[in-house]
Amino acid sequence: MQKKNRLTSPEMANLWTHYIRETLSICVNKYMLHTIQDPEIHSLFQTALHYSLKHIDTLKALFKKEKFPIPKGFTEEDVNLEAPPLFTDVLCLKSLYMMSTL
């Protein structure tokens, strides 16, 4: 009988960190989608949001497989989508680039 390989503590910590970062990205991207005016930049944020949501689904599946609790992460309670724009579209694009390189 083959022993099942379990993830190590550092591997789980990395998954946990990635989950928190992706939930933050979802909140930021949703806010940016409410404020961005440029259609091309808006489209990039829609793509980024799509990938973050897919990553969250994958991470949740890994947590469930490992019988590990799913972190709360950032939620809709942590962002006010009705807040006025805080940044220009170009600065939003620059932040998206920086977030995608991490």
Side-chain angles (χ1 to χ4, degrees):
M1 184 152 79
Q2 193 173 17
K3 188 176 177 183
K4 196 175 187 182
N5 289 336
R6 305 250 341 176
L7 294 178
T8 65
S9 294
E11 289 169 333
M12 289 305 295
N14 282 332
L15 289 175
W16 185 282
T17 301
H18 187 67
Y19 186 91
I20 299 299
R21 190 171 69 221
E22 286 295 343
T23 58
L24 174 62
S25 291
I26 289 169
C27 290
V28 169
N29 291 341
K30 283 182 178 181
Y31 172 76
M32 298 298 188
L33 284 168
H34 271 78
T35 63
I36 290 174
Q37 301 297 315
D38 184 293
E40 291 182 64
I41 296 174
H42 193 271
S43 174
L44 291 171
F45 273 88
Q46 285 179 318
T47 301
L49 178 60
H50 170 76
Y51 281 112
S52 287
L53 291 169
K54 283 180 63 173
H55 293 163
I56 288 296
D57 288 342
T58 302
L59 290 166
K60 283 181 178 179
L62 285 169
F63 287 132
K64 286 179 183 176
K65 181 181 175 190
E66 291 294 315
K67 296 181 175 72
F68 198 80
I70 297 173
K72 180 177 180 187
F74 290 90
T75 68
E76 291 131 14
E77 297 171 3
D78 298 308
V79 64
N80 178 4
L81 297 178
E82 303 306 318
L86 298 173
F87 311 107
T88 64
D89 288 2
V90 174
L91 187 60
C92 292
L93 181 60
K94 190 169 193 113
S95 73
L96 179 62
Y97 171 75
M98 291 186 327
M99 286 175 62
S100 67
T101 60
L102 295 177

